[in-house]
Amino acid sequence: MRPNLLILGGTTEGRSLCNAVAEAGLSGTVSMAGRVERPTPQGVPMRVGGFGGAEGLAWYLREHAITHVIDATHPFAAQMSRNAIDACERTGIPLIALTRAPWQAAPGDRWTHVPDIAGAVAALECPPNRVMLAVGRMHLQDFTANPQHTYLLRLVDSPAEPLGFPEAEVILARGPFTLKGDRALLAEHRIDLLVCKNAGGAGAQAKILAARELGLSVLMIDRPGIPARPEAHSIPEVMRWLGHVSTDLGV
Ligand code: 3Y8
Ligand code: NAP
């Protein structure tokens, strides 16, 4: 039985894995939730949209004769990761997560850790600042609770409806981002405070490095918990796992 992979994508590392899978001549499909209007091509066939919970994912795995699942989703895509663990337990299909370590503060960094989006909103109950919200679109409304700040919002797609911030500028951009670009952005908008998720990886890290150089304060949103599952931290590690598990499966 030849390997037939399902890659749960949506990250820089996920796209790199898809390219490695294509180069290795392996059969695979990448799955996206459909959060943005035009997902970036990933080098392997793509499916878009939810599965219908863990049960729907288990059905998909059986129906499409998937032999391996690689969860390369973003660390904040915790529900998708929980469903992948559940569905692979139900079906007995091997699962590995391609994860990236959380960013760590360096000496001199001015980070305040908060446990979640609500913690970030609570921490913004403070005198007016010039705040860059680099948290995307899905949780933006939560931040309208603090209208006293002047916001810079970075989004992938143009907002479909008014965002509800009295003072906000929107820039449309899709990462991966660069240190030069993010440093110029933060300086040009005279940002005092950066709010971001601890995504890890390189694609979103530029803003952290730029904030460090500019001596800005950072509200760092820590990751949601995800149950234990096998993890890899590099593409070669996943490719070895595929080779190893494929041998076990006699493929
Ligand atoms: C649809 C698929 C690649 C992948 C690029 C990574 C890096 C650039 C940085 C900032 C932070 C944010 C956001 C971000 C980054 C990578 C990676 C990453 C952060 C795309 C993509 C999809 C999404 C969904 C989107 C979310 C949003 C989050 C923007 C593709 C471009 C803020 C996360 O409008 C919306 O609904 C956006 C939704 C989930 C979080 C949110 O709450 O809004 N990502 N991002 C995926 C799908 O449909 O399944 O088109 O490429 C992928 C990438 N975004 O090819 O190199 O690997 O993390 N994505 C965060 O980290 O805080 C931007 O502005 O500095
Ligand atoms: P989430 O909250 O964990 O997932 C919510 C539901 O969305 C899931 O239960 C599933 O629906 C569907 N879903 C999520 N990822 C999917 C995928 N790759 N393929 C098919 N369905 C998916 O997920 P999220 O935080 O909204 O993230 C959505 C996507 O954006 C993921 O691909 C993730 O990698 C990417 N992304 C997210 C962030 C972020 O900050 N959250 C950042 C960068 C990229 P069903 O239950 O119906 O199956």
Side-chain angles (χ1 to χ4, degrees):
M1 174 178 56
R2 277 179 55 78
N4 181 25
L5 315 181
L6 175 66
I7 298 164
L8 301 172
T11 58
T12 297
E13 290 76 7
R15 176 165 54 88
S16 302
L17 175 63
C18 290
N19 289 331
V21 162
E23 281 161 26
L26 293 173
S27 167
T29 302
V30 64
S31 177
M32 305 288 231
R35 291 277 181 275
V36 297
E37 285 163 15
R38 287 176 302 284
T40 307
Q42 305 281 311
V44 296
M46 180 187 291
R47 68 166 296 286
V48 180
F51 295 97
E55 197 172 322
L57 177 56
W59 178 88
Y60 177 92
L61 297 178
R62 293 190 188 101
E63 185 70 12
H64 293 264
I66 300 296
T67 59
H68 306 70
V69 176
I70 301 100
D71 178 358
T73 58
H74 189 277
F76 279 70
Q79 187 57 55
M80 185 71 256
S81 293
R82 280 192 291 270
N83 290 355
I85 293 167
D86 184 337
C88 288
E89 278 169 4
R90 290 172 191 231
T91 57
I93 293 171
L95 166 71
I96 197 163
L98 174 57
T99 60
R100 54 245 186 136
W103 296 315
Q104 302 289 338
D109 278 354
R110 298 164 59 184
W111 288 14
T112 302
H113 287 270
V114 289
D116 49 26
I117 294 277
V121 172
L124 286 172
E125 287 162 15
C126 60
N129 262 316
R130 297 181 63 81
V131 178
M132 178 173 181
L133 282 182
V135 293
R137 173 193 59 88
M138 293 197 300
H139 303 282
L140 267 189
Q141 290 312 306
D142 299 2
F143 290 91
T144 54
N146 290 293
Q148 71 274 25
H149 302 300
T150 299
Y151 288 103
L152 175 64
L153 312 175
R154 178 149 67 182
L155 304 176
V156 176
D157 295 323
S158 188
E161 66 277 328
L163 294 169
F165 292 89
E167 277 291 317
E169 183 169 348
V170 174
I171 49 169
L172 298 181
R174 178 190 307 240
F177 300 106
T178 64
L179 171 57
K180 183 169 181 287
D182 276 6
R183 187 175 51 229
L185 182 71
L186 291 168
E188 180 195 339
H189 291 269
R190 295 179 286 115
I191 298 298
D192 307 304
L193 174 62
L194 172 67
V195 181
C196 64
K197 299 174 185 172
N198 199 331
Q205 190 175 25
K207 58 184 177 284
I208 306 294
L209 304 176
R212 179 172 299 157
E213 287 191 4
L214 295 168
L216 305 186
S217 300
V218 176
L219 258 186
M220 184 60 72
I221 303 170
D222 290 335
R223 297 176 170 187
I226 293 175
R229 71 264 165 96
E231 292 192 353
H233 295 85
S234 71
I235 309 287
E237 209 178 325
V238 174
M239 300 308 276
R240 283 195 297 277
W241 176 81
L242 285 171
H244 169 69
V245 174
S246 300
T247 308
D248 283 358
L249 292 174
V251 291

